[in-house]
Amino acid sequence: MREEYKKGSKVKKKDPRLVRAGVSGYNKPKRTPKHPKKSHVVVAKEGDKIKTIRFGEQGASTAGKPKAGESDRMKKKRASFKARHAKNIKKGKMSAAYWANRTKW
């Protein structure tokens, strides 16, 4: 966070990356319905590293959160995604796969 001082008091200014992405804070994903290709954006922060990540295919029908009585097809769809991207999901907060897994699957 950038800090500016006005007449002896601290006034915290939001990081310009947060403002540009339109998110409320670090590690808080947000839908981007008007983006031509990607469905979500997040400003990821791990330690002192900060990175803006766009992820998810716009208009793709994902399995979403597990639901009671979910169909076998959706269970398989979710399992396939997690297996296919397991290596990238393990990379942590600085990978798009991690956020797609957490948000969309």
Side-chain angles (χ1 to χ4, degrees):
M1 281 244 189
R2 290 174 36 189
E3 289 183 340
E4 288 188 359
Y5 297 93
K6 271 191 178 175
K7 295 185 183 176
S9 66
K10 277 190 198 180
V11 177
K12 289 194 177 186
K13 220 175 185 186
K14 228 178 188 186
D15 189 324
R17 290 170 280 207
L18 295 174
V19 175
R20 187 161 193 272
V23 293
S24 59
Y26 298 111
N27 301 327
K28 295 188 178 184
K30 180 184 175 185
R31 290 246 322 114
T32 54
K34 295 189 183 198
H35 194 274
K37 301 209 185 223
K38 299 299 179 181
S39 66
H40 288 76
V41 66
V42 65
V43 179
K45 183 175 182 178
E46 199 169 46
D48 58 344
K49 287 192 280 182
I50 300 171
K51 184 178 180 183
T52 301
I53 300 171
R54 289 192 178 277
F55 63 94
E57 185 184 6
Q58 192 69 268
S61 58
T62 60
K65 302 284 182 222
K67 295 163 186 75
E70 182 176 58
S71 70
D72 285 340
R73 183 175 164 264
M74 282 300 184
K75 285 179 185 172
K76 287 177 183 174
K77 193 174 182 181
R78 176 179 289 103
S80 292
F81 176 86
K82 290 178 186 279
R84 188 168 61 247
H85 297 286
K87 189 181 195 180
N88 293 322
I89 292 167
K90 284 180 188 171
K91 289 180 182 177
K93 290 180 183 177
M94 300 310 253
S95 74
Y98 171 87
W99 291 104
N101 177 56
R102 189 169 167 200
T103 308
K104 299 192 81 154
W105 294 93

